[in-house]
Amino acid sequence: AIVGPSGSGKTTMLQLMGCLDRPTDGRVHINGQDVTRLNPNKRADLRKETIGFVFQFFALIPGLTAYENIELPLLLSGGKKAERRERVHELLEAVGLSERARHRPDQMSGGEQQRVAIARALATRPALVLADEPTANLDTDNGHQVMEIMQRLNGETGTTFVFATHDPRVIPFARRVVELRDGQVSDNSLHA
């Protein structure tokens, strides 16, 4: 978990980790690779193959169903139709939304939309999923459920989840907490 007050640099850190921005100083390493030296095409390839994103406002495509939103990264990666179908159904089941596969975002609750976003982030089996304020637009129960899903999927798949948050209720779900203050790491501690 990356924690700190608004304006502390949480989102900037996620953008650097996600190869969306380049640092003005220093280096960013992902899977042992210095990504600050990669050209834009190589950074895009790394994002496509290694990193999944869960956005604060879900960022689902409104005209697509839950199934289609999850399938989109797989289409972009060029997988076979049968493999895509199997993966999407597996992910819908993993986030508890098999019965909502044909629903569009406007037909789902905020918690359901965030679970679709998590499934979409996992579609290509990334090593790393970055989540920016994953519970910010959810009530307490849905926020807790989303964090439990990410924790369970971390254990089952080995995918690393890094989430930025100012919500103290999600801190117990983290194994490591990095606290930012004014763009600087003020604490970096392991949690049980």
Side-chain angles (χ1 to χ4, degrees), residues 11-170:
T11 298
T12 299
M13 183 178 270
L14 285 185
Q15 289 173 329
L16 291 169
M17 293 171 74
C19 302
L20 298 170
D21 286 339
R22 286 184 138 170
T24 53
D25 192 27
R27 304 208 182 283
V28 177
H29 290 263
I30 297 177
N31 281 347
Q33 183 175 24
D34 181 357
V35 299
T36 54
R37 298 185 181 270
L38 297 178
N39 68 43
N41 289 336
K42 294 288 185 184
R43 284 195 318 271
D45 287 344
L46 181 73
R47 280 191 304 270
K48 182 175 76 173
E49 297 164 6
T50 307
I51 305 168
F53 296 90
V54 179
F55 300 99
Q56 180 176 350
F57 296 101
F58 320 129
L60 300 177
I61 299 173
L64 299 182
T65 64
Y67 181 101
E68 293 164 337
N69 268 284
I70 297 167
E71 183 185 34
L72 187 59
L74 298 170
L75 286 167
L76 297 173
S77 295
K80 294 179 181 177
K81 186 175 183 175
E83 292 169 355
R84 288 193 318 263
R85 183 175 38 247
E86 181 179 335
R87 180 68 177 150
V88 173
H89 285 297
E90 174 185 313
L91 289 165
L92 283 164
E93 185 174 323
V95 297
L97 291 175
S98 295
E99 73 287 349
R100 306 290 280 168
R102 299 292 171 207
H103 289 79
R104 291 185 320 276
D106 65 348
Q107 299 169 319
M108 293 184 281
S109 71
E112 289 170 334
Q113 290 180 58
Q114 192 65 302
R115 288 187 281 160
V116 171
I118 292 167
R120 180 186 56 197
L122 291 166
T124 60
R125 294 182 168 84
L128 173 64
V129 171
L130 303 174
D132 192 7
E133 300 284 1
T135 62
N137 295 300
L138 303 176
D139 62 32
T140 301
D141 289 341
N142 278 310
H144 192 267
Q145 188 176 46
V146 161
M147 294 308 300
E148 284 180 335
I149 288 169
M150 287 194 283
Q151 188 176 49
R152 178 176 48 81
L153 291 170
N154 165 256
E156 290 174 4
T157 67
T159 300
T160 298
F161 286 84
V162 177
F163 53 91
T165 187
H166 62 272
D167 183 352
R169 296 173 298 174
V170 301

